[in-house]
Amino acid sequence: HRLENQGATPAVCLIPRRMPVRFWAHPGARRRIGAALVVTAAAAASVYAAVSVSRRGKTEANAVCHPNLSHLRHEDGREVLLIGTLPLDLDGASRALVTSSLDVLRPDIVMVEGTWTAGLNAMLFSGSWQLHGVVPARGFNWTDIGDAQPVQIMTQKPKKGWFSFAFGAGSPPPSLPERSLVPLKVRNWAHHLRGSVGTDIAAAVAAASAAGVPVRFLGPEDGGLQGHMMVSMLANQAAMELLGEEHQRGSQMPNTDVDAALRRAEMHVREDGQKWVHDGREETSRSAHRLAEYMTARVPEKLREQLTEHRQARIDGTASRIGESMEAFRKGAVVLSVDQLVAVEEKLVQAGYSFLSQCA
């Protein structure tokens, strides 16, 4: 098995310091996960199979068809299958889509988003590889914290500027309890969620290894790690809101209430993920529209232009590296985040590829 890497450097996951208060602590609470998270969701839909019959009337193969697949063919006969997957694959639908698609397509090369760092993370957190003494993220009971005692909550003082005025004075930090079990609960919950990050990449690497074909990491440096960033953001938001609820109650929340709140949060993520699995193209359009409205209303024009240029450069780079990789192969498969599927498809069409179908 051969791993090819382009420009690998360790990726950094940024964790926001403050999140809004009060969301998951209430049974009826529900908020749309914003478009900026892009795919804050995990999948829960099955891949359907259609039987392809030749003109001779004989069954040739079971063709895997799905809205998040894009089968393209170049003018010279080279073929590429784009597989759009979820960064947070809670129900394993993206993993199943990758496995079944590669089994049918039988590509000469498998390409994945990110660097070798994303591949290593994927194999470890998915449970494909394990480290001695480290509890696997998949399959452990995250609600069990044993006889752990409440931990002290550290509150950071707001930083002061040049004129001794505290930044963010108009938005004081939320009041938090002195001690709580919430951080321990949320830590376990986040570890549980990370077991669903990178399952698509792990499936691609395993399938390529079994078939004896190379895996090529396309970059960029933070590619393939979006799921970990999402988990960090969700965990921070959950912790702040639950701690804020405890402060308002004046006492620690029962373990059962904390568990129920985190399960509700996970359910909302699953529900949002179902929309992307059902039709990633439609959700990409909706997400882009919502994001454009938000940026127009809230983001300065110069910053908005910079963000747009950064995203376009990312898409252009991915499509370019796919084209360069395919110069030496006849049939390839690419695993990439579902929100990039349509844009990368368009760039490849401009490069001489034509759309065939949504089937492997």
Side-chain angles (χ1 to χ4, degrees), residues 176-199:
L176 303 176
E178 293 183 0
R179 304 183 69 84
S180 175
L181 286 171
V182 164
L184 302 179
K185 284 282 190 178
V186 173
R187 180 195 62 187
N188 276 13
W189 180 64
H191 187 61
H192 152 71
L193 294 181
R194 292 187 191 280
S196 298
V197 175
T199 58

Side-chain angles (χ1 to χ4, degrees), residues 41-45 86 91 269-279:
L86 296 171
D91 291 316
V269 174
R270 290 176 187 272
E271 291 174 352
D272 285 337
Q274 290 174 12
K275 301 173 186 177
W276 286 88
V277 172
H278 178 70
D279 192 345

Side-chain angles (χ1 to χ4, degrees), residues 49 61-64 81 98-107 331 359-360:
N62 291 328
V64 176
L81 178 68
V98 170
T99 300
S100 57
S101 298
L102 296 183
D103 183 57
V104 171
L105 184 68
R106 299 188 182 279
K331 185 183 293 185
C359 299

Side-chain angles (χ1 to χ4, degrees), residues 284-323:
T284 297
S285 177
R286 294 176 183 173
S287 176
H289 179 70
R290 291 194 300 266
L291 182 59
E293 288 184 340
Y294 174 85
M295 293 180 65
T296 301
R298 304 273 186 97
V299 180
E301 182 178 359
K302 186 175 182 179
L303 178 58
R304 188 164 65 244
E305 292 176 354
Q306 292 175 348
L307 293 174
T308 302
E309 292 175 359
H310 176 76
R311 172 174 170 76
Q312 189 59 51
R314 186 187 186 100
I315 296 298
D316 292 346
T318 298
S320 175
R321 288 186 286 271
I322 292 173

